Amino acid sequence: MPAPSKRLSGILPSGKDGWEVHFAAMNRKEAGEPIIMLSVGDHDFDTPSETIEACVTAVRSGYHHYTQLPGIPRLREAMARASTRCTGVETNADQIIATPGGQLALYAAVQGTLDRGDHAVVVAPYYATYPGTFRAAEAEFTVVEAEAADGFQPRASAIEAALKPNTRAILLNTPNNPTGAIYSRESLEEIAKLCVKHDLWLLSDEVYWTLAGDHHVSPRSLPGMAERTLVINSMSKSHGMTGWRIGWLTGPESMISLLISLNLVTTYGLTDFVSRAAAEALENDYGVELIADIYNGRRKVFLDAVRGLNDITVRGSEGGMYVMLDVRAIEPDDEKFAWALLDAEKVGVMPGSSFGDAAAGHIRISLCQPDDVLLDAATRLRRFASSYRSKAA
């Protein structure tokens, strides 16, 4: 057959981005092994019943035709109210474009701010799709690591040192996946000053904001930032709607207006009945408080269970759906540690190096399992760490 485009084959040049342990664990579980899956951020519970019923009602009412490219008005208005709460900046519907999931909102933000050959700075540890999203835009990027010793808080000085004449944007994620770190106001203020000084876009991935309680600070709320910040958001985590594929991008009206053209040639709008169910879920906060309570409780249960575990240190882990454990004192090679844990104790975790060099030597634990499963996994981890040390000795 004719050769595919270089753009397509270059999105993941190695054909992988660190997910091998997860896929192996998933395949083994499907084959019947009693694997505890702590490697993926997908809820272990269903979407709230109220949202499901709203969707069924919309289907039965005939809402299954084409919709407006930026999203139906009711949905955009509901998303604008959510963005006002998320970012602390009064937001209207013209500052919102609805997308099929947060990943498409990220894709739109990158496509809207970077031309071929432009440069961006990505704060790491980062979500695994970030590099491929920049490659899809044929843009360059430099990874700046937020160090484990700093609790994975980013340093503006390191970001500024990575800027180039063709730098157009900075991408960060708070609360952070994979570390669970919530970026401090002080850290974000310094980054905001950089954006204003160098006239940069800030792409702010805030999909876990409802799991941070009162600790979340959106950089969009900082001086001079509303006009240069694009906020990526999603209903996947906040409303228990991972498979529904509903997200949105918040930004200046002029940018959002231009991005409608991107929807024209990609998604051509969203599914009507899903949009109406999502609007009702946003209007009524279906599941939001309960989901936040679940993960706050699970975080405490798991951290209490591993606290005091010799040679393993908790890093970040203040919010979101994940806990980051530093295993370097046991095994510097986090991928080797993850494979060995899967083989010995049948626990699937993500190697930290999947998310950037700063997380090398760590493992990411997903909290998407009930308390009793998390406690079982903590017991297996404790047993494994002790055994691994004695074998290494």
Side-chain angles (χ1 to χ4, degrees), residues 66-77 98 270-272 275-277 279:
Y66 290 131
T67 61
Q68 297 94 324
L69 291 175
I72 64 173
R74 179 185 173 191
L75 178 61
R76 294 177 80 195
E77 289 165 4
L270 297 177
T271 307
D272 198 356
S275 296
R276 293 173 189 277

Side-chain angles (χ1 to χ4, degrees), residues 59 75 103 172 222 227 254 257 367 386 388:
V59 171
L75 178 61
Q103 176 59 39
L172 55 77
L222 301 176
E227 67 190 49
S254 57
S257 178
L367 300 175
S386 176
Y388 200 98

Side-chain angles (χ1 to χ4, degrees), residues 108-153:
V110 170
Q111 291 287 334
T113 57
L114 295 160
D115 288 317
R116 177 187 297 175
D118 281 344
H119 177 260
V121 172
V122 180
V123 177
Y126 51 71
Y127 179 55
T129 67
Y130 286 2
T133 305
F134 284 103
R135 295 186 194 113
E138 298 180 86
E140 302 172 4
F141 61 93
T142 298
V143 175
V144 172
E145 307 287 354
E147 301 297 335
D150 295 330
F152 293 114
Q153 292 291 320

Side-chain angles (χ1 to χ4, degrees), residues 251-263:
E253 289 184 24
S254 57
M255 172 61 87
I256 296 301
S257 178
L258 289 171
L259 285 173
I260 293 173
S261 299
L262 187 64
N263 274 9

Side-chain angles (χ1 to χ4, degrees), residues 63-371:
Y63 293 113
H64 26 72
H65 297 277
Y66 290 131
T67 61
Q68 297 94 324
L69 291 175
I72 64 173
R74 179 185 173 191
L75 178 61
R76 294 177 80 195
E77 289 165 4
M79 288 173 167
R81 288 190 291 271
S83 283
T84 298
R85 292 163 56 193
C86 171
T87 70
V89 178
E90 190 66 34
T91 307
N92 64 61
D94 290 332
Q95 296 170 311
I96 299 291
I97 187 165
T99 60
Q103 176 59 39
L104 206 291
L106 170 65
Y107 180 83
V110 170
Q111 291 287 334
T113 57
L114 295 160
D115 288 317
R116 177 187 297 175
D118 281 344
H119 177 260
V121 172
V122 180
V123 177
Y126 51 71
Y127 179 55
T129 67
Y130 286 2
T133 305
F134 284 103
R135 295 186 194 113
E138 298 180 86
E140 302 172 4
F141 61 93
T142 298
V143 175
V144 172
E145 307 287 354
E147 301 297 335
D150 295 330
F152 293 114
Q153 292 291 320
R155 290 189 180 185
S157 58
I159 294 173
E160 186 164 32
L163 299 180
K164 299 180 179 181
N166 63 333
T167 302
R168 296 285 307 280
I170 298 170
L171 170 60
L172 55 77
N173 170 214
T174 180
N176 182 259
N177 175 13
T179 68
I182 299 173
Y183 292 170
S184 68
R185 178 177 291 275
E186 293 73 20
S187 295
L188 293 172
E189 285 175 342
E190 293 304 310
I191 295 171
K193 290 176 183 177
L194 280 184
C195 291
V196 173
K197 176 182 175 182
H198 296 280
D199 194 25
L200 303 176
W201 286 101
L202 183 63
L203 314 183
S204 184
D205 183 346
E206 302 179 28
V207 301
Y208 294 98
W209 72 280
T210 59
L211 305 185
D214 297 331
H215 302 292
H216 175 65
V217 177
S218 172
R220 184 174 182 243
S221 66
L222 301 176
M225 292 305 292
E227 67 190 49
R228 64 181 65 255
T229 303
L230 297 176
V231 179
I232 294 104
N233 231 314
S234 167
M235 299 186 69
S236 292
K237 312 306 197 243
S238 57
H239 293 74
M241 298 175 67
T242 52
W244 296 65
R245 312 315 303 134
I246 289 287
W248 72 95
L249 190 68
T250 304
E253 289 184 24
S254 57
M255 172 61 87
I256 296 301
S257 178
L258 289 171
L259 285 173
I260 293 173
S261 299
L262 187 64
N263 274 9
L264 173 67
V265 297
T266 53
T267 65
Y268 206 79
L270 297 177
T271 307
D272 198 356
F273 54 85
V274 172
S275 296
R276 293 173 189 277
E280 183 167 327
L282 284 165
E283 291 162 355
N284 294 279
D285 280 345
Y286 290 154
V288 173
E289 185 176 352
L290 176 60
I291 291 169
D293 287 345
I294 286 172
Y295 285 107
N296 287 335
R298 289 179 177 180
R299 188 180 309 110
K300 184 178 186 306
V301 164
F302 187 81
L303 290 179
D304 285 348
V306 299
R307 191 165 281 116
L309 179 56
N310 290 338
D311 296 331
I312 289 183
T313 304
V314 178
R315 305 286 188 185
S317 307
E318 298 97 359
M321 296 165 55
Y322 309 102
V323 167
M324 185 67 87
L325 301 180
D326 187 339
V327 299
R328 287 175 290 182
I330 299 174
E331 172 54 70
D333 186 335
D334 55 283
E335 192 165 342
K336 181 179 179 182
F337 184 98
W339 279 114
L341 178 63
L342 176 62
D343 290 337
E345 294 289 351
K346 301 189 185 305
V347 177
V349 300
M350 282 293 286
S353 55
S354 304
F355 308 98
D357 290 344
H362 295 69
I363 57 171
R364 189 193 75 170
I365 304 292
S366 167
L367 300 175
C368 297
Q369 294 289 348
D371 288 359

